[in-house]
Amino acid sequence: QGSQKRSNSTPETPRPKRAPASRSPYGLFSPGSFSPSVTPSQKYSSRGGRGEVVASFGSAQGPAWSGCGGCAVKLFGRPEQNLTKPYKFMFQKALDVRQALAGRVEELGEVLRRHHGLDGFTSTAFPAQEPVTVLGQIACDGNGKLNTKSVLLVGDREHSGGAQVPLDLSELPEYSLFPGQVVALEGTNSTGRRMVVSKLYEVTP
């Protein structure tokens, strides 16, 4: 017969005790403790009036609809601007989206020029000692929130070729900007690396 070894229990090396399952912290906060029964209660399964209408508005029940005929659909605008075939939403190519956004910036820039009586727009990449007017979209220099030190202007495609320039808004008395906003700015860009804005032209309704 082989000898069985008994583990010695001393104050220095106490014998491990197994805690009962009911007092385990994993059992107290397990999903089963919050929902011990998977099947619905008797009160829920024996309810009455299932599928019955308890409230209604109006006296017509199930009206029948029929067309009168003679209706025709007419597309307005140029054919290339209208949808003539189905397409998958949000499956557009990046270049097509960029061209659409650039065209929208040019349209809003023309609205700004006529509304505020501006002469024309200059590139954001060229250094300018005198005040110049530029057109573009407000952007952020990172993934964080837009603040006074992270505002960029992405120039339009026609005049700036999409060149970016940081903006210094300290000389403006008040402003309210958001990423993607189309604006026209007047200011100086002496070094070509930062534009000090003196006037802000926004699209107004």
Side-chain angles (χ1 to χ4, degrees):
Q1 295 181 358
S3 60
Q4 297 180 355
K5 295 184 179 179
R6 298 181 60 183
S7 59
N8 296 327
S9 177
T10 61
E12 290 78 9
T13 58
R15 182 181 299 175
K17 296 181 179 180
R18 301 180 64 180
S22 60
R23 294 186 180 183
S24 173
Y26 300 101
L28 294 177
F29 299 101
S30 63
S33 63
F34 294 101
S35 57
S37 178
V38 180
T39 58
S41 62
Q42 294 296 329
K43 183 178 180 181
Y44 179 80
S45 60
S46 61
R47 71 191 189 282
R50 290 177 288 183
E52 297 180 1
V53 178
V54 296
S56 62
F57 180 78
S59 58
Q61 296 292 335
W65 298 91
S66 60
C68 299
C71 298
V73 179
K74 183 179 180 181
L75 298 177
F76 293 92
R78 293 177 294 180
E80 60 269 13
Q81 294 181 348
N82 298 323
L83 295 177
T84 57
K85 58 182 179 179
Y87 72 102
K88 294 183 178 181
F89 179 65
M90 295 183 68
F91 276 78
Q92 300 94 339
K93 297 181 180 179
L95 182 59
D96 297 339
V97 175
R98 177 57 184 167
Q99 290 179 352
L101 292 176
R104 188 59 176 168
V105 171
E106 293 177 2
E107 293 178 4
L108 294 176
E110 182 62 22
V111 173
L112 284 170
R113 190 189 63 81
R114 289 182 299 176
H115 180 74
H116 297 283
L118 304 175
D119 295 334
F121 300 110
T122 312
S123 174
T124 58
F126 293 157
Q129 302 292 338
E130 299 294 331
V132 294
T133 305
V134 296
L135 174 68
Q137 285 184 290
I138 298 297
C140 183
D141 63 353
N143 296 327
K145 294 183 178 180
L146 192 67
N147 53 54
T148 57
K149 297 182 180 180
S150 65
V151 183
L152 293 177
L153 182 70
V154 181
D156 63 328
R157 180 179 57 179
E158 181 181 357
H159 303 91
S160 305
Q164 301 180 2
V165 60
L167 299 180
D168 184 357
L169 307 173
S170 58
E171 294 187 2
L172 291 178
E174 59 181 3
Y175 56 88
S176 178
L177 303 174
F178 59 89
Q181 181 180 0
V182 179
V183 296
L185 304 174
E186 181 179 322
T188 57
N189 188 8
S190 58
T191 61
R193 298 180 179 178
R194 192 172 191 85
M195 173 169 284
V196 181
V197 183
S198 56
K199 288 184 181 181
L200 172 64
Y201 303 101
E202 301 180 72
V203 179
T204 55

